[in-house]
Structures are given as structure tokens and as C-alpha cells.
Amino acid sequence: MIKIRIPATSANLGAGFDALGLALSFYNYAEMEEWDRIEITSADGLDIPRDENNLVYVSAKDLYAVCGKKLPGIRLVQTSAIPMARGLGSSSACIVAGLAGANRMLGDPLSADDLVDLAAQIEGHPDNTAPAFLGGIVTAVFDGRKVHWVKQEVFTKLKFIAIIPDFELKTDKARACLPQEVSHKDAVYNLSRAALFSASLLTGKFENLRTAVHDRLHQPYRMELIPRAREVFDIAYTHGAYGVYISGAGPTIMAIADEDNTYFAGKVRFSLDNAGLGGWEVREFSIDNEGTRIVEE
Ligand code: HSE
């Protein structure tokens, strides 16, 4: 069996809606091989689809089809640490696992560019799938067929603290609440901040991040779908976060803090408990620069 490791991802990074994303040091694993039927198990006992609707299988089958082949079946064991429907790229991790695994099973016929394009076509936007595959921070434009992307490795003293609520928010619902049109002024508001985010992250001008994470395209609307989100933002800023944003479509709230802010996660945990938000989980990650890799075969 091939064993693949796929990182969690955090998309949008505030203002970079559908365009910016980064990979985190938090991983799903998928072991797979071609098989004569579909045999899917969860190594961690989670309730995952075990039939032809399984997203890893669907994506693997898509890659086979692109290469003019038919995938007869799959033997697949999934280890899914990334929580589902929380804004940490769990569905992108499945898509990328299926594509990377199928490509290896066929002897690597497709390039990294091909896989990034296919993943975005399956998911509909590239800001989780591209960093899940490539690692680092990825700036991506998806023109409907191809992804035009830049991956940058990040070596910073920043940590990313995911504050994960005990409820799900499906991406469909979090996209349905967005306006169809925005003003010219709001477009400028966002594009200037999205550009500022990656430039500041990569050059170490972290004092800009608080301004850079603001946006007018999605967070104000999604905030209403995440009860007590404003309080959580406030808690993270009180303890010295550089920037706080809704991760992907939410409901996870991501805080960026300096590694010298040693007890940041513990302080946030304590404040959440005090505010009656004990069900929210606090997890500390760094940026993963490697992306998806085959760890065994
Ligand atoms: N850019 C996407 C969104 C990420 O915000 O809807 C979630 O898939």
C-alpha cells in the first residue's frame, strides 16, 4: 500500500478570499492500493463514506479517467485527524490524497501543475487544495481550468493557533450567505489587504497583519453564522495575537502569534473556559513547507 501524508490548510487568510492559503503542521493519512472492489476503512473509527461517494476514491477515479484508465476499485485506510466542516481543509485533504495516490499508483504520469489544476476543478477553488498539495503559503488564481500559482516557503517565528468550535459549518452554507456583488470600494479594501498579508508575512512585518486580515467579502457575513466569534477574536487579540481571521469558510478562528508569546494558547484556553466556551478546542500549529508526500510504499 502507498501511504500518503496530507496537511491541513487554512484558506483566505482574511482578505485573500479564494486566493490565499497556507499548509499547517497537522496531518491526515491515507493508505491505498488498486483493488478489485471498494474496501474503505477508517483507522480512527470515524464515520466516513465507505462507498463510491468517498471523496478520496472519487478523486482517484477522476485522475485515472484523465489518464484514460479505469480504476476498478480501491483498498483505502484513512486516518482523519483534520476535523470535518471546520475550515481546516478536510475535504481538500481527501481530494489531494486521492489525486496524489492515484498518480503514484499509475507511475506518476501527471505533473504537480496537473494535480493542482485537477484538485481545484474538483473543489471549485484553489486556496485549500493548492497549499495542501504544495505546502507553504500559496497565492493562486483559478481561471476555471488552470491554476496560476506561486508557492513560497515560510520560515518565521510565527505560530498559528486554531480555535476550533464544537460545531460544524458546511462550506455550502458559508458561501450561500455571501453577497452576489460588492462595491468598487470594498474590492479595493480587500485586494490591498490580501497583498499586504503575504508581503508582510514573508518579510516579517508582522505589525501589519492586524490590518491585513480585515476584509469585506466574507468575514462580516460568516461572523453571523459563528455564535460568539467576536468574543473569540477579542480574546485572541487581548493575549497579543498579531492577526485573527476566520479560517477558510469557518467556523474555526485562526490566531497568528509570535513564538515568543510563549503561553498564548494556554491564556486563550483559560479565557475561553472563563467565558463558558469550554467546548472550543485550542490547537497550536506551525506552517508546513513540504505539502503532500508519500511516506511509505
Ligand atoms: N475560499 C473558500 C471559502 C475556502 O471561503 O469559501 C473554503 O473552502
Side-chain angles (χ1 to χ4, degrees):
M1 298 245 267
I2 298 169
K3 185 171 184 181
I4 305 165
R5 189 181 85 163
I6 319 98
T9 44
S10 182
N12 298 332
L13 311 179
F17 182 75
D18 279 2
L20 295 180
L22 52 80
L24 297 165
S25 57
F26 180 35
Y27 305 97
N28 275 4
Y29 291 85
E31 291 167 79
M32 69 181 82
E33 64 186 328
E34 213 179 284
W35 207 239
D36 59 0
R37 59 188 183 281
I38 298 175
E39 194 184 296
I40 300 173
T41 50
S42 164
D44 36 21
L46 292 177
D47 186 20
I48 55 166
R50 286 156 205 266
D51 56 15
E52 70 282 358
N53 297 315
N54 178 288
L55 195 50
V56 178
Y57 171 68
V58 169
S59 308
K61 212 169 76 167
D62 283 348
L63 185 134
Y64 268 61
V66 168
C67 297
K69 303 253 193 300
K70 188 170 168 2
L71 179 62
I74 199 166
R75 191 153 79 98
L76 170 67
V77 182
Q78 285 182 243
T79 307
S80 315
I82 307 168
M84 290 174 210
R86 294 298 206 289
L88 291 168
S90 64
S91 63
S92 292
C94 290
I95 293 169
V96 169
L99 294 176
N103 199 41
R104 182 52 66 98
M105 291 194 289
L106 288 176
D108 292 325
L110 298 188
S111 67
D113 270 315
D114 293 332
L115 297 191
V116 170
D117 293 343
L118 280 176
Q121 287 187 64
I122 296 170
E123 178 78 339
H125 35 84
D127 48 331
N128 285 111
T129 50
F133 184 64
L134 301 163
I137 180 171
V138 177
T139 307
V141 171
F142 180 42
D143 66 14
R145 293 189 195 127
K146 275 203 69 62
V147 180
H148 308 268
W149 57 266
V150 172
K151 168 203 169 173
Q152 284 158 298
E153 295 196 1
V154 188
F155 301 96
T156 76
K157 47 200 273 291
L158 293 181
K159 48 192 180 185
F160 286 73
I161 297 86
I163 311 171
I164 311 169
D166 49 3
F167 53 86
E168 296 186 344
L169 176 56
K170 296 258 192 270
T171 300
D172 291 353
K173 187 175 171 196
R175 289 181 85 84
C177 74
L178 305 180
Q180 291 297 313
E181 290 179 7
V182 296
S183 68
H184 189 274
K185 206 170 151 195
D186 287 352
V188 172
Y189 185 97
N190 262 67
L191 66 86
S192 53
R193 282 166 178 75
L196 185 69
F197 186 96
S198 37
S200 301
L201 185 80
L202 290 161
T203 56
K205 228 170 167 215
F206 304 139
E207 68 274 20
N208 283 340
L209 293 178
R210 192 164 181 159
T211 299
V213 291
H214 283 144
D215 97 294
R216 291 190 179 156
L217 298 188
H218 71 111
Q219 293 183 104
Y221 308 95
R222 289 172 167 172
M223 209 64 119
E224 306 308 319
L225 305 177
I226 310 171
R228 306 192 62 188
R230 284 189 180 80
E231 236 175 299
V232 175
F233 269 65
D234 205 43
I235 287 171
Y237 277 125
T238 299
H239 295 306
Y242 283 124
V244 186
Y245 64 90
I246 295 175
S247 182
T252 290
I253 291 168
M254 190 67 77
I256 308 172
D258 200 286
E259 72 181 7
D260 294 340
N261 191 342
T262 320
Y263 303 111
F264 179 82
K267 289 177 189 169
V268 169
R269 169 79 278 152
F270 198 72
S271 294
L272 290 172
D273 288 344
N274 256 333
L277 295 170
W280 290 56
E281 209 186 328
V282 180
R283 302 282 306 263
E284 188 175 311
F285 306 118
S286 52
I287 292 181
D288 167 287
N289 282 315
E290 276 186 298
T292 292
R293 61 187 185 88
I294 311 276
V295 288
E296 267 172 45
E297 57 188 323

